[in-house]
Amino acid sequence: MANCKKQCGPGYKSPLDAFINGKRETILYTICIQPNTLTKKKSDYLATIDVNPNSPTYSQVIFRTNFENVGDELHHFGWNTCSSCYDDCTKSRNKVILPSLGSDRIYVLDVTNEKAPKLHKTIEPSEVHALNVSTLHTTHCLPNGYVMISTMGDAEGNGKGDFLLIDAEEGVVKETWTKGNTAKFGYDFWYQPYWDVLVSSEWGTPKDFKIGFNPDHINDIGIYNIYNWLFIYLTHICNFKYVYKIEKYGRSLNFYSWSERTLLQTIDLGTDGIAPLEIRFLHNPKASEGFVGCAVNSNVFRFFRTDDGTWDSEKVISVPKKTVKDSNGLKEISGMITDILISLDDKYLYFSNWLHGDVRQYDITNTSKPKLVGQIFLGGLLLNDELLTIVKDSELKKQPEPVYIKERRLFGSPQMLQLSLDGKRLYVTTSLFTPWDKQFYPESVKHGSTLVKLDVDTINGGLSLDQDFLIDFGKEPDGPIMAHETRYPGGDCTSDIWLTED
């Protein structure tokens, strides 16, 4: 690390420095996915959006960085360097790293011109598969200047949780991160060097979830099928049948030694914790706790370090299922928590219920007892003009109404969230993953995604929809597009990890 007289590296000194002194975002970068690659041979792209209220192009897409290939399914992305390199004046946040969930291709963009990112380097899938990993997800910059990307599968699409290290400047794959045993599944991750820990979450088996959501995959059971003499003997002589669970969806948190790069502990969250997706430590780098949102049964777990140095968890939020009636009779609908984030002052936790259609805000001043202080519906399956009726609901007194901004209906449901550094503006997009979008919200795919802005009451809690801000991705030049993750050039609440608290 360079010995600088004063900070001139990327990011901010601490989370509170970013919260108090951070610049207001003027540009958003949003992933745009082409959902109809069979009929439209068009590529995904990164949209640059003007969010400066004083600009003549406010609330408009002002640039599109198109890519070379079709069917990448861009998903999450991150920086070449961030606040973890705050003291290194040789580092600059001048590139974004965009891995593909579908193709396993990795794009490196030069963002020296913030308004017009351009392609710097492409890492082909063969370079990724050569290390027997696939299905790329979360991107985090590391203090040593490398970039780490979590993986969810092996080269054949079976479940495998590992991490890929790349050199963003050179645009090359270096190695996989884990030494020794890998996790059964992968998805998101966060690291906390102060406690020598990295924690990761789990989605499922890529070759299964990539074709859509099948509820039968949640608790699949199979017969062990090893054709060796011992198995045959036990089966036919002793009348023994060995039954085992073919897990297609994860339900565990995996804790690694940050310094040794080894898997130390796995916590099974049980049926309440099936598909633990987005995972967040508190931003305070000395905090030894965080939260994870579990999609299938809509629960949030708190994880925390114990006195003996191991890790434990507890369920702290549970979203009740809704009993509804449609033409096929009664059924239950889970909220399906698909994204969570924490404000930089560690006061509020936000998450989206992708099936119910609401965004929630919780006061986590007491981390063991989060308090709901804000909620807003922006779509979902529960709307009163859908072909179902809610017959049992412990929370709502009536079904939500469809939402319109500038005479444009918000189809689909709120999904990806991004919060401003000062915590006052929450940006929301609607796409989860193309096969699932088509399965649950075909009208959203037909009309395209939207990006909206929620104004946040940071004192008492509360969310309100800004009726003057709308990005309608149904009106894009190549037709309706699905919008996923959003980031800011100066860093945001989910991309930066800090090493010091002051």
Side-chain angles (χ1 to χ4, degrees), residues 105-216:
R105 189 172 284 108
I106 303 170
Y107 297 103
V108 181
L109 299 189
D110 185 327
V111 292
T112 304
N113 180 349
E114 290 184 346
K115 292 185 178 181
K118 63 180 181 180
L119 183 64
H120 172 71
K121 185 70 180 291
T122 300
I123 299 174
E124 293 298 337
S126 58
E127 300 176 58
V128 175
H129 297 163
L131 295 174
N132 195 29
V133 291
S134 71
T135 321
L136 311 178
H137 194 264
T138 299
T139 301
H140 275 306
C141 50
L142 304 186
N144 63 7
Y146 280 173
V147 172
M148 181 184 287
I149 303 173
S150 60
T151 71
M152 292 185 278
D154 63 15
E156 303 300 320
N158 303 301
K160 180 184 180 182
D162 205 343
F163 309 91
L164 195 66
L165 292 177
I166 70 169
D167 185 318
E169 292 300 320
E170 296 181 8
V172 296
V173 172
K174 303 299 288 188
E175 60 181 338
T176 52
W177 182 80
T178 309
K179 304 298 183 184
N181 295 332
T182 57
K184 185 180 298 184
F185 300 106
Y187 187 72
D188 195 18
F189 74 101
W190 200 275
Y191 62 87
Q192 207 79 315
Y194 183 85
W195 296 108
D196 190 36
V197 67
L198 178 149
V199 58
S200 69
S201 57
E202 302 183 336
W203 187 355
T205 306
K207 63 185 179 183
D208 292 314
F209 68 67
K210 280 187 174 183
I211 61 175
F213 178 69
N214 183 344
D216 293 336

Side-chain angles (χ1 to χ4, degrees), residues 33-52:
I33 303 126
Q34 172 57 253
N36 301 307
T37 55
L38 293 179
T39 57
K40 294 182 179 181
K41 299 300 180 181
K42 301 292 184 179
S43 65
D44 301 343
Y45 56 89
L46 185 71
T48 304
I49 298 166
D50 188 341
V51 292
N52 180 357

